[in-house]
Amino acid sequence: MTAGARRDEEVALWRLYVLRANYLLWAVAGVMVALPPLLSPDPAARGMIDSMFGGLWVMGILGVRYPLLMLPIFLFEFVWKTIWLLAFGLPQWMAGNASDRLNDDLIGIGNGPILFGLIIPWGYVWRHYIRAPTERWR
């Protein structure tokens, strides 16, 4: 049995399908959101956000095939969105600084920790990223 097969068996098949469905959603959304600015970029644009979305789009495509290997992408999304929510979104909202932009961000970014918190297989993360022995340094 290969290491990949053992890894797959650690996570329930339904959870792998949930992960794949979310990666597929990224891949499909990327065609509409990430691809157009990459195919015809604005010469005056800095392009950082478009490039990041392009990278996430490619990772989404890979995630459909390799949902556990691409799990760090979902962990990154969970962490940065949680940081934003706790450090910026909620404090501004609680201070009464609500604006249309903040409300949109609270929905678009603030739902991320909930969504990713539900779909990430935390037992797998614990075993493979927290408890696992470190990789060799030399």
Side-chain angles (χ1 to χ4, degrees):
M1 182 181 294
T2 66
R6 276 184 264 129
R7 183 175 46 246
D8 286 351
E9 291 175 2
E10 287 184 63
V11 177
L13 184 59
W14 68 267
R15 189 172 290 272
L16 289 174
Y17 283 129
V18 169
L19 289 169
R20 282 188 170 109
N22 280 276
Y23 286 119
L24 182 62
L25 179 65
W26 271 19
V28 171
V31 169
M32 295 177 277
V33 176
L35 204 52
L38 297 176
L39 293 177
S40 57
D42 177 0
R46 293 175 64 197
M48 292 178 293
I49 293 174
D50 293 331
S51 299
M52 186 190 76
F53 283 149
L56 288 173
W57 172 57
V58 172
M59 296 297 102
I61 293 168
L62 291 173
V64 172
R65 182 164 181 179
Y66 305 108
L68 293 177
L69 289 176
M70 301 313 303
L71 196 55
I73 300 297
F74 279 177
L75 291 171
F76 170 74
E77 285 289 312
F78 175 78
V79 169
W80 87 257
K81 288 178 179 191
T82 301
I83 291 170
W84 179 87
L85 185 63
L86 296 176
F88 300 99
L90 287 178
Q92 289 180 34
W93 180 73
M94 292 172 69
N97 296 335
S99 66
D100 289 342
R101 184 173 184 175
L102 178 63
N103 291 336
D104 289 345
D105 288 345
L106 282 169
I107 293 169
I109 300 169
N111 285 327
I114 297 167
L115 172 66
F116 290 108
L118 291 172
I119 65 172
I120 291 172
W122 292 106
Y124 180 88
V125 170
W126 177 257
R127 289 186 303 278
H128 288 269
Y129 296 103
I130 311 295
R131 297 278 313 219
T134 188
E135 294 174 353
R136 62 190 180 107
W137 289 84
R138 303 192 292 156

